[in-house]
Amino acid sequence: QVQVVESGGGLVQAGGSLRLSCTASGLTFDDYIMVWSRQPPGKEREGVSCVSWSGRSTLYADSVKGRFTISRDNTKNTLYLQMNSLKVEDTAMYYCAARRVRRSVTGSKYEDCTLATDSDYWGQGTQVTVSS
């Protein structure tokens, strides 16, 4: 049974930092692209950042570029999101998701990711609130 569990959310003042973590179990972690998404109050879910299966490729939404850093530790089945210079508009429920990596006809794994919000497995989310 696959489980995806986020942690690290909380209340922080604007300009502050938080580090989110996500641990996945029941799957082969490095067979999955990992994605952080968020859903602000009253708005649709949006992709924030993603990382390829190896960690070598990353992608960020324009709204967080230069402030957020995604990383993963495949030895610990764990995904991270370091969030710096937080803004009030970063307030949202943050979700971790796993999407199975695409493979070439030879079986090798593609080294890319996208911010699309369709994924195979999702966590329950962790709330991030940024106060002014």
Side-chain angles (χ1 to χ4, degrees), residues 27 29 31-35 37 50 97-102 112-122:
L27 51 72
F29 193 64
D31 276 347
Y32 288 82
I33 293 163
M34 298 301 294
V35 185
S37 299
C50 65
R99 185 186 313 133
R100 187 174 290 277
V101 69
R102 296 182 303 128
D112 65 356
C113 68
T114 71
L115 297 181
T117 55
D118 58 321
S119 289
D120 297 295
Y121 304 104
W122 288 88

Side-chain angles (χ1 to χ4, degrees), residues 1-107:
Q1 180 146 351
V2 175
Q3 283 192 315
V4 178
V5 180
E6 303 95 336
S7 62
L11 174 64
V12 63
Q13 284 192 324
S17 298
L18 279 176
R19 188 195 198 202
L20 304 184
S21 298
C22 167
T23 300
S25 60
L27 51 72
T28 302
F29 193 64
D30 61 4
D31 276 347
Y32 288 82
I33 293 163
M34 298 301 294
V35 185
W36 284 105
S37 299
R38 67 186 182 186
Q39 187 163 16
K43 297 184 179 180
E44 293 190 353
R45 193 173 296 189
E46 59 181 6
V48 172
S49 183
C50 65
V51 60
S52 63
W53 67 272
S54 68
R56 288 194 291 267
S57 295
T58 59
L59 195 62
Y60 297 92
D62 288 343
S63 58
V64 307
K65 206 171 290 183
R67 300 187 297 121
F68 290 10
T69 302
I70 192 171
S71 61
R72 65 189 292 165
D73 185 340
N74 287 349
T75 65
K76 297 180 179 179
N77 280 24
T78 302
L79 173 74
Y80 303 99
L81 186 68
Q82 178 67 44
M83 304 186 295
N84 298 329
S85 302
L86 282 161
K87 304 176 180 180
V88 172
E89 50 264 42
D90 294 319
T91 295
M93 185 70 80
Y94 282 72
Y95 297 93
C96 168
R99 185 186 313 133
R100 187 174 290 277
V101 69
R102 296 182 303 128
R103 292 179 181 268
S104 70
V105 293
T106 60

